[in-house]
Amino acid sequence: MGKASEYPQQETHAVNGHGMHLHMRTLHPSVPIPYLSKEEMTSAARAATARLPGTPPAEDLAFYGGLGALAVAGALDWPVALAVGGATWLLRSGRREKPEAGVRP
């Protein structure tokens, strides 16, 4: 028991940083948050969806869905499916928008 009094106890410092005091400042800017009523939200949603094109024909949905299914199943690679779908969309949209050459207003 006499040996315990011979060795003075040393202060141990935490290696993991528990003994450190850090002073940090946090910036909290005031940001106004607008309040939107249900009527304002529905009118904004209607205005946004009014600009969207109509629903595509069922044959287009079946074609693009089939391409996607083939790509998911592994029968087609994704780049091939995207190329076929993109080329088909370009050809079909160009055909619909092109005015007839023989008709003049």
Side-chain angles (χ1 to χ4, degrees), residues 1-96:
M1 290 208 191
K3 289 193 174 197
S5 61
E6 287 180 19
Y7 299 108
Q9 292 185 353
Q10 297 178 356
E11 291 183 18
T12 58
H13 296 285
V15 180
N16 57 4
H18 287 289
M20 300 176 119
H21 295 286
L22 296 176
H23 298 283
M24 300 179 73
R25 304 219 182 248
T26 306
L27 178 64
H28 297 284
S30 60
V31 178
I33 299 174
Y35 175 76
L36 298 174
S37 66
K38 184 179 178 181
E39 292 81 20
E40 290 173 334
M41 288 294 290
T42 55
S43 67
R46 284 190 184 129
T49 56
R51 296 180 183 171
L52 294 175
T55 58
E59 65 182 20
D60 286 350
L61 288 176
F63 176 74
Y64 295 123
L67 272 178
L70 287 173
V72 168
L76 281 177
D77 289 332
W78 279 106
V80 174
L82 287 175
V84 169
T88 305
W89 178 77
L90 283 174
L91 290 173
R92 287 183 181 176
S93 65
R95 188 177 353 138
R96 289 180 192 150

